[in-house]
Amino acid sequence: MDADKRRQLRDAFGAFMTGVTVVTTNDRQGNPIGFTANSFSSVSLDPALLLVSIDKRSANFANFTGCDHFAVNILSEQQKETSNIFAQKIEDRFALIDWRKADSGVPLIEESSAWFDCSLHQVVDAGDHAILIGKVEAFSSCGTAGLGYYRGVYFTPYQNAESLIGGPDVVVSALIESAGQALMVEKQGSYSLPSRRVNQSSVSETLNQLFADLEVQASPGFVYSIWEDRQKNQQHIVFLCVQSGASKLNTARQAQWYSLNQLDALPIADSALKSLMNRFVRESAVGNYGLYYGDECQGSVRHFALKAS
Ligand SMILES: Cc1cc2nc3c(=O)[nH]c(=O)nc-3n(C[C@H](O)[C@H](O)[C@H](O)COP(=O)(O)O)c2cc1C
């Protein structure tokens, strides 16, 4: 294939939006090694398998294709620099980042969104790459938003959403779903989402304070709804949040999990919230979530994400 065609093909492949990972292992001397990869894909749940492809020109090709264990670290939005470090020819990439060793000995990158510690299950020869298929032996996911990559550029959906937010009086709410249940707060016989005013702090700090108040371990995902309440001169932002780890609920705050099919029967006085919750129940059934943008009476919904099966 000539150089032009090759570039066109690379650009066409780049139309597929991905996350960014750093794949790590140890070399024969026990030194940590790793490279940035967006060719990661989940493969199978049972057995738990994943794959990543490695270029045959990689300096560490023999180390990766001959290793016992490797790890895939899914980078978070804050880790663009880590991605760049592991994509450039740098002598000691690990000297520039925080990392630790997993029980198996493979290097894990601190603050990543998720990691998978794998035994090397199979190496498949594939043109100018080899496909490393890993059997997941241990994994963890902390729920922080993952770094995106699209047409050669990083993108950060959560940070972008934060930058949309501004106004005199901002209220953030957390729509936390876990195992088909949503966390609701009761006040004087009416239900609402856990919410907090953004005062001096940033939106993410406010959400973290909200999670701490509720004693729930969660992290913000996508913005689910933004609306202006013109009467109260308030901007409302609802974040779809991911629960991470087992949580102990603070019952004093009357936050309680309700199954999604119970939500319809819950008294929700705020009509904007009522229609948001109805939309959420409908959308989570098919895993196709939309972003609402408007005011308390009217607006439009844009669909942006499909839940993985
Ligand atoms: C976003 C991004 C994704 C990448 N994905 C892959 C990949 O999937 N497989 C691969 O072999 N290289 C990939 N690379 C390139 C390697 O990270 C890069 O060539 C690195 O320098 C290889 O290091 P090494 O030769 O020390 O192994 C990617 C680079 C970037 C920036």
Side-chain angles (χ1 to χ4, degrees):
M1 191 184 293
D2 66 32
D4 256 10
K5 198 86 193 156
R6 196 184 156 93
R7 192 183 40 76
Q8 285 165 15
L9 178 62
R10 184 192 274 261
D11 291 349
F13 282 154
F16 185 60
M17 241 179 241
T18 66
V20 184
T21 73
V22 170
V23 187
T24 55
T25 190
N26 295 303
D27 68 11
R28 300 222 161 90
Q29 289 71 47
N31 302 313
I33 53 172
F35 67 100
T36 300
N38 68 340
S39 55
F40 165 80
S41 177
S42 56
V43 173
S44 158
L45 285 177
D46 192 10
L49 300 175
L50 56 73
L51 70 78
V52 67
S53 25
I54 179 168
D55 196 318
K56 287 183 178 165
R57 292 168 305 179
S58 160
N60 287 310
F61 184 77
N63 283 316
F64 275 99
T65 50
C67 70
D68 291 331
H69 275 261
F70 67 96
V72 176
N73 301 265
I74 313 260
L75 298 186
S76 67
E77 286 196 352
Q78 282 72 30
Q79 293 181 309
K80 272 187 222 170
E81 196 41 44
T82 304
S83 172
N84 289 333
I85 290 169
F86 282 86
Q88 287 164 20
K89 298 284 170 207
I90 291 176
E91 187 65 33
D92 185 1
R93 292 165 172 161
F94 285 84
L96 302 174
I97 59 145
D98 291 331
W99 64 282
R100 66 181 193 282
K101 281 194 171 196
D103 292 344
S104 69
V106 289
L108 297 179
I109 294 178
E110 298 285 10
E111 312 277 312
S112 58
S113 197
W115 54 261
F116 303 92
D117 181 353
C118 305
S119 53
L120 183 64
H121 181 70
Q122 203 180 340
V123 179
V124 180
D125 185 64
D128 54 14
H129 280 60
I131 301 168
L132 306 174
I133 302 183
K135 181 160 185 286
V136 180
E137 306 287 356
F139 67 97
S140 172
S141 167
C142 75
T144 49
L147 179 62
Y149 194 69
Y150 176 59
R151 292 194 187 275
V153 177
Y154 297 114
F155 68 93
T156 51
Y158 174 65
Q159 284 173 5
N160 291 1
E162 262 212 322
S163 66
L164 283 178
I165 294 160
D169 194 2
V170 179
V171 178
V172 289
S173 302
L175 175 41
I176 311 171
E177 190 205 359
S178 181
Q181 298 188 307
L183 194 63
M184 303 293 290
V185 180
E186 193 259 354
K187 210 173 173 190
Q188 295 165 346
S190 176
Y191 285 80
S192 57
L193 291 173
S195 301
R196 227 175 193 276
R197 265 211 169 81
V198 179
N199 290 324
Q200 308 303 342
S201 40
S202 69
V203 170
S204 36
E205 276 162 11
T206 310
L207 276 168
N208 286 333
Q209 283 157 8
L210 186 58
F211 299 145
D213 289 350
L214 293 161
E215 294 190 13
V216 70
Q217 283 174 26
S219 2
F222 287 100
V223 171
Y224 190 61
S225 185
I226 303 181
W227 80 89
E228 303 278 347
D229 186 333
R230 289 174 205 276
Q231 282 162 15
K232 294 189 192 151
N233 197 23
Q234 273 181 340
Q235 189 178 30
H236 289 260
I237 299 117
V238 180
F239 281 84
L240 199 54
C241 302
V242 192
Q243 200 202 7
S244 47
S247 299
K248 179 168 66 86
L249 285 185
N250 182 347
T251 43
R253 288 198 165 257
Q254 292 173 297
Q256 227 186 308
W257 293 102
Y258 287 93
S259 130
L260 296 191
N261 46 33
Q262 283 178 291
L263 288 181
D264 199 32
L266 278 191
I268 297 175
D270 184 328
S271 58
L273 181 63
K274 178 84 186 159
S275 77
L276 179 145
M277 294 311 292
N278 288 343
R279 174 165 74 89
F280 179 66
V281 172
R282 278 197 317 273
E283 290 180 349
S284 61
V286 287
N288 187 1
Y289 298 111
L291 164 66
Y292 174 90
Y293 199 92
D295 60 28
E296 73 275 30
C297 305
Q298 57 181 10
S300 59
V301 175
R302 295 220 179 132
H303 284 272
F304 61 84
L306 269 175
K307 207 193 286 188
S309 57

